[in-house]
Amino acid sequence: MLQRIAKPVLLLVLLVLARQAYATEGMWLPQLLSGLNEKEMKGMGMKITASDIYNINKGSLKDAIVSFGGFCTAEVISEQGLLLTNHHCGYDAIQKHSSLQNNFLENGFWAKSAVEELPNPGLFATFIVRIDDITKAALQDVKPGMSEKERQSVIDRRLNDIKQTVRRESWQDVMIKPFYEGNQYFLFVTETYRDVRLVGAPPSSIGKFGSDTDNWVWPRHTGDFSMFRIYAGKDGRPAPYSKDNVPLKPKYALTISLKGVKQNDFTMVMGFPGRTTEYLPSEAVKQTVEVLDAAKVDMRDAALKIIDGYMRKDQQIKIQYAAKYAGTANYWKKWMGEMQGVKQTNGIGKKLQYEDNYRQLMEANPVWKQKYSGVLDSLNLYYSQIQPYAQARDYYSELVKNVELFTVGDRLITFLNDVHERGEGQYETMREQFLASMQPFYQNYNAKVDHDICVSLTNLYAKAIPARYAGNEFAQIWQEHNRDGRTLSDKLYALSGLTSPEKLKAFVQQPYNTVVSQMWTDPATRLVMAMRKGFVDNVSKPLADIQANINNLQRTYMQAQMDVMSSKKAFYPDANSTLRVTYGKVDGYNPRDAIHYDFYTYLDGVMEKYVPGDYEFDVPARLIELYKKKDYGRYGVNGKMPVCFIASNHTTGGNSGSPALDAHGHLIGLNFDRTWEGTMSDINFDPAICRNIMVDIRYVLFIVDKYAGCTRLIDELKLQ
Ligand code: ARG
Ligand code: ASP
């Protein structure tokens, strides 16, 4: 057909196609949609306006979205402050309320009435009241030629002034963040509620169905949701937990659509994406995937194998290590996907081509040439200089994170340093706080598991890090133990005072000065001190110096790209845990030659994956029964129960729990993941294969209503 289309029309089609190629990339600032995106969004099918999404004069969609604990997103879905987020976002809270007797992780939890809703100290929900562009004021005192340090200090002074004088209510907070690598600054007035209670969660065999095997994978069949409720003081304002608090009456609650979506339908996701780096030079992309991802994967591979072995044998360890395992495995797998995705889509080649393009345009314009010539080359050079230090940093931080004896040692050092700063007179009070803060840690700690991880990871660390980076003190200790992780670990776990809460207590019960001097005699603290010293002296100092140069150039390069490439590309700021809107279309993709993935999954797929008794793929009897009877109520379509779907929304970590909205701004699903082939979207979004994964809202409601029978929650919702 193509050849019969008249030329001008063809050109138009091509232009539209070219535009679509990047139309779905980007995490946009909600207050800028009307100027930058509204037209395109409407062109893609959106039926509402930008001011329905962000409006400071009346309730709008943004008033239903919260940052959930700072690590996920959640949305208000009822006039009584009911919150919807992912199961994996509520996981920690659910785990803390679980025990072997009352295993809510395993069996699910449903508060049958308000009094059964469970408080979660430390958990919070933050609304965005208003976003202001304060770039001009923030950069007012910046002068050309200032060092990075000087520049930052004049900016910080300005930001402080702005924070003091900004218009806000007494219960509201202010947060300022740099955007576009520090070329722009935005201020956020926020409202944080700290009484957030657990309302409901499905069993893990639904909420975490497929577990780590299916994590980051499409086709997916996970009912990844849980429900919480925001409580406020009687005046509706944020208040610390009290049994007298009342459910929040929100400014805006989402309407839910049971209609589902079809291929190419417009969708939009609003939430708090954490971090992306889309504007790196090619050298940095190469380093990220070939060196840094590889280092972290290497360490986690080893730690995870050991934990998995224990979890499969021991029910107690399974509960203790479930959340830790999931956390460690999550990025381990993501980085592997990223490495593969960049390779498969020729991400580095495409960056190089983009850089060629940029160079040509930049050099053809005398003003740009004067300002930006050499910036990209210097940046690439600094990235190659930083590589060995960045690699050493990643090995070191993975070691201290995964060997928990080292994590405790590290926390002990930080605590003793704090005492030193505040005065030794404070020691006793601070000691009690420190011990109390370590209590939850030991509840989920098993020294045998940790010992085995230590054997493996110290061997890897010593092999991967050039001796000069690990430092002389580490070399000495390593030598004393025959350069062998097992000899070293056997001694550490037999003799150290950090392996149990009782031993730790006895250790810090001594006078401050004795504790400090024994830090070099206890074998574990001695090793941690040695490694920390090695890291500070030989890695973090040079790393920080080179990083300052990179930050400076990266900011200039960002501005340069925005000046030079603006006709070719729309520029959105990298994710930085602030509220964003991303939009795309429901669509499948072709992951590899001859394979096509559809965009919807159904309960039939859950049953295909079902392995009775398996810890990842078991299915609860009640769900099987509903499936057999096709008892889907109003949530099924044509005798089938939709479970998950994918679209081309540009999301990242932190977007979990974000609402998936249709063209009318109605809730159709809950974002929780991305596809394996597309996890490189954090450094190199490719609309051909990058997809976000959402659980269909009808599956969520089917589980609440038909599976759990918690109809009191369904009665709160606005359904369409
Ligand atoms: N990959 C998703 C995200 O990054 C989900 C993680 C939770 N699920 C899991 N099986 N670990 O957070
Ligand atoms: N699963 C991620 C989250 O928890 C979302 C993603 O990385 O796509 O935020």
Side-chain angles (χ1 to χ4, degrees):
M1 296 301 274
L2 202 62
Q3 58 274 40
R4 279 207 277 151
I5 300 173
K7 226 175 169 189
V9 179
L10 179 64
L11 197 67
L12 198 75
V13 171
L14 287 178
L15 279 175
V16 170
L17 283 179
R19 179 101 186 107
Q20 270 180 357
Y22 65 83
T24 55
E25 176 173 354
M27 305 166 165
W28 305 91
L29 280 156
Q31 81 280 17
L32 302 181
L33 292 175
S34 60
L36 288 175
N37 314 86
E38 187 178 34
K39 210 163 144 215
E40 182 177 76
M41 293 167 93
K42 286 190 166 163
M44 289 169 70
M46 184 176 77
K47 298 283 184 273
I48 55 175
T49 64
S51 76
D52 296 322
I53 300 172
Y54 177 90
N55 196 319
I56 53 171
N57 301 314
K58 66 169 181 81
S60 55
L61 288 175
K62 74 128 171 69
D63 297 308
I65 321 294
V66 295
S67 161
F68 184 79
F71 53 86
C72 273
T73 304
E75 51 278 354
V76 180
I77 53 169
S78 88
E79 296 298 333
Q80 287 118 65
L82 190 62
L83 276 185
L84 179 64
T85 188
N86 290 142
H87 185 263
H88 79 263
C89 297
Y91 201 81
D92 253 349
I94 307 166
Q95 187 196 29
K96 283 195 183 118
H97 293 294
S98 295
S99 60
L100 275 175
Q101 295 74 30
N102 249 336
N103 198 339
F104 299 144
L105 271 185
E106 183 106 3
N107 308 318
F109 167 79
W110 302 99
K112 292 283 179 284
S113 67
V115 285
E116 289 181 21
E117 298 182 355
L118 299 172
N120 302 287
L123 187 59
F124 59 85
T126 300
F127 289 93
I128 304 300
V129 177
R130 190 177 88 232
I131 310 174
D132 295 338
D133 184 350
I134 53 153
T135 306
K136 238 175 137 178
L139 301 182
Q140 191 170 320
D141 303 328
V142 172
K143 303 262 162 354
M146 276 181 163
S147 73
E148 270 305 276
K149 229 170 146 185
E150 278 173 298
R151 182 181 189 274
Q152 201 50 53
S153 88
V154 298
I155 293 175
D156 287 345
R157 215 171 314 134
R158 275 284 156 210
L159 298 187
N160 234 337
D161 290 350
I162 298 169
K163 270 191 189 161
Q164 303 305 327
T165 52
V166 68
R167 178 171 52 82
R168 66 174 170 103
E169 305 293 346
S170 59
W171 63 88
Q172 296 174 335
D173 302 302
V174 188
M175 173 184 84
I176 299 176
K177 292 233 174 160
F179 288 73
Y180 297 106
E181 309 285 348
N183 286 296
Q184 297 182 24
Y185 280 81
F186 290 92
L187 174 147
F188 299 77
V189 176
T190 62
E191 263 171 23
T192 297
Y193 289 83
R194 296 180 187 278
D195 184 354
V196 179
R197 302 187 197 169
L198 177 62
V199 172
S204 290
S205 50
I206 292 173
K208 208 186 161 183
F209 181 74
S211 194
D212 295 301
T213 299
D214 268 11
N215 190 21
W216 301 110
V217 168
W218 182 256
R220 188 67 155 276
H221 300 86
T222 314
D224 195 344
F225 79 95
S226 61
M227 287 180 173
F228 288 77
R229 192 187 302 282
I230 302 180
Y231 281 76
K234 293 227 164 67
D235 54 4
R237 298 201 183 131
Y241 170 79
S242 154
K243 62 176 181 17
D244 301 328
N245 282 349
V246 295
L248 174 77
K249 175 114 194 44
K251 258 192 242 156
Y252 196 90
L254 296 178
T255 300
I256 295 173
S257 163
L258 297 181
K259 296 191 190 100
V261 275
K262 304 182 303 301
Q263 180 158 25
N264 274 326
D265 274 358
F266 174 85
T267 60
M268 148 173 103
V269 171
M270 285 181 82
F272 292 84
R275 190 175 136 78
T276 57
T277 46
E278 309 283 355
Y279 304 106
L280 295 176
S282 50
E283 184 66 29
V285 174
K286 191 161 178 282
Q287 184 173 111
T288 304
V289 290
E290 289 177 7
V291 181
L292 306 181
D293 284 355
K296 293 179 288 198
V297 165
D298 191 25
M299 293 292 262
R300 290 192 182 195
D301 253 343
L304 287 166
K305 273 203 193 88
I306 294 162
I307 302 175
D308 182 62
Y310 278 101
M311 277 172 71
R312 284 179 188 274
K313 283 191 309 229
D314 185 321
Q315 187 64 18
Q316 177 69 24
I317 294 179
K318 192 179 143 191
I319 294 187
Q320 287 180 314
Y321 277 73
K324 274 190 272 197
Y325 185 91
T328 307
N330 193 31
Y331 266 64
W332 162 75
K333 198 164 176 187
K334 189 237 157 183
W335 289 319
M336 288 192 288
E338 188 168 271
M339 288 157 79
Q340 187 185 301
V342 168
K343 202 162 150 199
Q344 194 183 329
T345 58
N346 186 25
I348 295 162
K350 282 187 191 148
K351 271 271 172 190
L352 284 167
Q353 203 179 10
Y354 171 84
E355 288 171 6
D356 269 356
N357 235 323
Y358 157 84
R359 273 201 182 90
Q360 273 171 23
L361 286 173
M362 185 263 294
E363 272 161 20
N365 176 318
V367 179
W368 289 339
K369 193 169 174 190
Q370 152 111 32
K371 260 166 91 179
Y372 301 132
S373 171
V375 167
L376 181 54
D377 294 327
S378 313
L379 194 53
N380 275 324
L381 195 69
Y382 278 121
Y383 270 110
S384 54
Q385 278 178 18
I386 209 170
Q387 180 160 308
Y389 300 107
Q391 187 192 33
R393 171 201 60 207
D394 285 359
Y395 269 107
Y396 173 74
S397 62
E398 287 299 315
L399 179 69
V400 175
K401 178 185 179 307
N402 289 292
V403 180
E404 290 187 288
L405 189 63
F406 299 164
T407 319
V408 180
D410 217 52
R411 280 170 74 171
L412 182 60
I413 296 173
T414 307
F415 157 66
L416 294 172
N417 284 341
D418 284 353
V419 174
H420 180 71
E421 263 172 36
R422 288 224 232 136
E424 289 167 34
Q426 301 292 312
Y427 184 56
E428 260 130 65
T429 339
M430 288 174 75
R431 174 176 64 202
E432 292 322 304
Q433 287 164 2
F434 172 67
L435 286 173
S437 77
M438 294 306 295
Q439 203 56 40
F441 165 80
Y442 281 110
Q443 266 167 22
N444 291 330
Y445 180 73
N446 180 303
K448 233 173 32 198
V449 180
D450 203 38
H451 165 275
D452 291 5
I453 297 176
C454 187
V455 173
S456 201
L457 265 52
T458 45
N459 277 332
L460 277 175
Y461 178 74
K463 208 162 98 200
I465 299 291
R468 63 180 185 286
Y469 293 150
N472 294 339
E473 288 81 0
F474 176 79
Q476 164 85 27
I477 296 173
W478 192 237
Q479 194 60 43
E480 284 167 20
H481 297 85
N482 307 330
R483 313 171 64 77
D484 173 42
R486 182 163 299 279
T487 314
L488 176 68
S489 309
D490 286 352
K491 178 150 150 218
L492 292 183
Y493 290 79
L495 300 179
S496 170
L498 308 185
T499 50
S500 74
E502 297 76 28
K503 284 189 196 163
L504 179 69
K505 192 168 174 189
F507 186 67
V508 295
Q509 216 58 264
Q510 314 175 88
Y512 176 73
N513 284 328
T514 318
V515 175
V516 170
S517 67
Q518 286 193 357
M519 292 296 281
W520 284 104
T521 45
D522 177 281
T525 52
R526 177 182 171 222
L527 178 60
V528 175
M529 304 252 286
M531 290 188 309
R532 191 157 152 150
K533 184 165 186 310
F535 176 72
V536 171
D537 291 352
N538 310 309
V539 179
S540 73
K541 174 85 181 60
L543 191 84
D545 290 345
I546 306 173
Q547 190 64 50
N549 290 322
I550 288 181
N551 293 350
N552 181 346
L553 283 167
Q554 191 74 55
R555 186 173 60 243
T556 313
Y557 181 47
M558 183 77 241
Q559 190 59 55
Q561 292 178 75
M562 289 165 81
D563 288 349
V564 176
M565 305 298 276
S566 59
S567 61
K568 304 210 172 292
K569 198 175 150 72
F571 287 90
Y572 55 93
D574 268 320
N576 59 356
S577 295
T578 57
L579 183 61
R580 302 296 178 90
V581 177
T582 164
Y583 48 93
K585 291 195 163 192
V586 175
D587 203 3
Y589 67 108
N590 301 324
R592 282 183 299 285
D593 189 28
I595 300 180
H596 176 74
Y597 282 149
D598 231 332
F599 50 87
Y600 248 113
T601 61
Y602 294 90
L603 197 53
D604 310 66
V606 173
M607 296 311 297
E608 278 172 13
K609 287 179 178 174
Y610 173 40
V611 182
D614 184 76
Y615 97 103
E616 297 189 298
F617 292 101
D618 202 5
V619 178
R622 167 112 189 102
L623 189 56
I624 298 176
E625 189 190 315
L626 290 165
Y627 171 73
K628 283 196 178 140
K629 288 199 266 176
K630 305 251 170 293
D631 185 3
Y632 305 143
R634 56 183 150 167
Y635 310 110
V637 256
N638 304 328
K640 281 165 79 106
M641 184 68 238
V643 175
C644 293
F645 64 104
I646 50 175
S648 56
N649 299 295
H650 187 180
T651 53
T652 188
N655 266 125
S656 273
S658 298
L661 304 163
D662 68 5
H664 303 278
H666 295 157
L667 184 67
I668 47 167
L670 184 59
N671 182 72
F672 71 99
D673 210 0
R674 278 170 285 163
T675 56
W676 169 251
E677 296 80 6
T679 57
M680 84 306 185
S681 64
D682 288 346
I683 39 181
N684 204 2
F685 187 88
D686 186 332
I689 60 165
C690 290
R691 297 287 178 271
N692 68 312
I693 307 180
M694 295 152 282
V695 51
D696 193 295
I697 197 66
R698 292 169 295 186
Y699 188 54
V700 171
L701 299 185
F702 159 74
I703 297 294
V704 175
D705 188 347
K706 296 296 237 176
Y707 174 86
C710 209
T711 48
R712 75 172 184 109
L713 299 177
I714 303 289
D715 295 341
E716 285 184 38
L717 310 173
K718 279 188 284 182
L719 300 180
Q720 278 225 334

